[in-house]
Amino acid sequence: MKEIDIRQAFTIEDHVFIDVRSPGEFDESHIPGAINVPIFNDEERAKVGTTYKIKGQDPAKWLGMELVSPKIPHLMQCIREVSESGKKPIIYCWRGGMRSKSVATFSEMAGLQVQRLTGGFKQYRQWIVDNLNETILPNRFIVLHGMTGVGKTMILDRLKGKGFPILDLEACAGHRGSVFGGIGAPVYNQKTFESNLYHQLEKIKGLPLVFMEAESRRIGKAVQPEFLLEAKAKGIHVVLETSVEIRAKRIYEEYVIPYKSEAQFQERVKEAVTPILKRFIPAIKDELIQHIDKEDYKNLIVLLLEQYYDPRYQHKLEEYDGPFYHVRVDDIEDTVKHLTKIILQHQRDSTLVQG
């Protein structure tokens, strides 16, 4: 079988990582884009591990063989489907040990062309730790500021659709930055955030100007690295502004309408708001709870904006030196046109300086 390291893996066109670890390990963190084809489920993995600790290596290997044998046709079919789609499978497990070696061996016996990642996910994780630094930054960021609900994410999406490079930190974190941010999306841990961040930055490395949102240091469960916070502070700052009514409407349409029919939505909103209730005076706290109990999410959003997010926003803005462009966001498309003019102006100014 052909064995490759993580550096070589990234140079292979049309590759797909096949993660043969258990579903629990995969969910905890994996190489972005990987497909989980587990050789053991979580319970089986625990049994093999316990057998290894109590009885030793050989009994654990025998148990593993008994558990895996009935699954071999299914495992091979999964990998075969990847190969037949025109992709090149790269098999990995935790440390590049028995699990990936076994699957790679079965694949070769079945006539499938695969490669095995030496060092497994552990090597990949070390690669991220070693390479997630200022060397993969763009030259400068255009940083979008704005009160909660102003439409920063929508604007980034529109800019991306028009071909402008962006850094989407919310996508990296699986969280959209407010108490509603984890509703309707998986919230990633620090390892997954850093993996996603590395791969996004690698794509925009060295570009002259890249749009990003002025996210807080912590996004959901993840914390931004210091080098990125410093680059953000030195960026070109744009403050997006619109009314409370428009912002509340956008939040309701994005966070509430798609999910409010789900059985646990009200409970999830309550769980999201509960941690910040201690920050309010009793009267506001009671009003927030009443809105949740009545499922009056429109008024809940307005109250959170006026009593929690807006006062905090001004404090955050004071952390930046500026100067600031101020842009109205009453209409998203008009805003995108305005931002396009800003980036083109900076590109012209940069060309004149270089000339």
Side-chain angles (χ1 to χ4, degrees), residues 59-318:
K61 286 183 177 180
W62 188 266
L63 175 60
M65 179 272 295
E66 291 180 326
L67 294 171
V68 171
S69 295
K71 303 179 183 180
I72 293 176
H74 172 71
L75 295 172
M76 295 303 99
Q77 181 60 32
C78 291
I79 296 171
R80 182 180 181 180
E81 289 173 1
V82 171
S83 296
E84 290 180 343
S85 72
K87 302 295 184 180
K88 300 180 178 66
I90 301 174
I91 312 295
Y92 77 89
C93 58
W94 166 233
R95 289 184 295 186
M98 287 297 297
R99 288 183 288 180
S100 61
K101 187 174 182 179
S102 298
V103 174
T105 300
F106 294 146
S107 298
E108 284 199 336
M109 293 173 63
L112 301 173
Q113 299 297 314
V114 302
Q115 300 176 86
R116 187 171 81 101
L117 181 64
T118 59
F121 182 78
K122 186 176 182 180
Q123 184 191 86
Y124 166 78
R125 175 61 186 159
Q126 190 59 52
W127 168 272
I128 296 298
V129 171
D130 292 343
N131 291 279
L132 184 60
N133 54 51
E134 65 279 357
T135 63
I136 56 174
L137 285 171
N139 290 349
R140 199 173 188 190
F141 286 110
I142 298 179
V143 186
L144 304 183
H145 301 260
M147 293 183 177
T148 299
V150 78
K152 298 185 289 291
T153 301
M154 286 189 289
I155 291 168
L156 280 180
D157 287 342
R158 297 289 202 288
L159 289 165
K160 182 179 180 180
K162 292 182 178 293
F164 290 104
I166 70 165
L167 174 63
D168 190 346
L169 291 174
E170 292 185 345
C172 291
H175 194 279
R176 289 172 287 182
S178 71
V179 295
F180 290 95
I183 293 176
V187 181
Y188 302 133
N189 59 25
Q190 187 70 26
K191 288 181 181 179
T192 301
F193 170 74
E194 289 174 357
S195 294
N196 292 337
L197 178 61
Y198 169 81
H199 291 289
Q200 279 207 34
L201 287 175
E202 182 65 29
K203 293 177 182 177
I204 59 176
K205 176 176 64 176
L207 294 181
L209 292 168
V210 173
F211 286 98
M212 71 176 296
E213 186 175 341
E215 294 284 356
S216 302
R217 176 185 294 269
R218 176 175 289 277
I219 313 171
K221 297 179 180 178
V223 177
Q224 296 182 56
E226 195 64 36
F227 76 86
L228 183 59
L229 295 171
E230 292 175 1
K232 179 178 66 173
K234 296 175 182 177
I236 300 162
H237 300 284
V238 179
V239 180
L240 306 174
E241 300 168 331
T242 193
S243 66
V244 171
E245 291 76 20
I246 290 176
R247 289 160 49 216
K249 181 175 182 289
R250 287 174 179 165
I251 293 172
Y252 185 79
E253 291 174 349
E254 182 177 3
Y255 293 103
V256 178
I257 290 177
Y259 310 111
K260 66 178 180 179
S261 61
E262 296 179 1
Q264 299 299 315
F265 182 74
Q266 183 183 31
E267 188 60 32
R268 292 170 69 187
V269 172
K270 188 176 295 185
E271 290 175 359
V273 173
T274 297
I276 64 171
L277 287 177
K278 60 185 178 183
R279 300 176 183 269
F280 299 99
I281 61 174
I284 300 298
K285 177 180 176 180
D286 291 343
E287 191 174 352
L288 288 168
I289 293 172
Q290 288 173 13
H291 287 323
I292 296 173
D293 290 341
K294 295 177 180 179
E295 299 184 70
D296 183 2
Y297 299 120
K298 290 182 178 179
N299 282 317
L300 172 68
I301 291 167
V302 171
L303 193 60
L304 285 170
L305 290 177
E306 293 178 341
Q307 299 293 329
Y308 182 70
Y309 285 108
D310 291 1
R312 288 163 59 88
Y313 167 74
Q314 189 56 43
H315 174 70
K316 290 181 181 178
L317 205 57
E318 292 170 357

Side-chain angles (χ1 to χ4, degrees), residues 14-34:
D14 297 323
H15 70 266
V16 172
F17 288 104
I18 306 293
D19 188 325
V20 299
R21 298 177 301 158
S22 67
E25 292 173 283
F26 183 84
D27 290 343
E28 198 273 332
S29 192
H30 56 267
I31 300 176

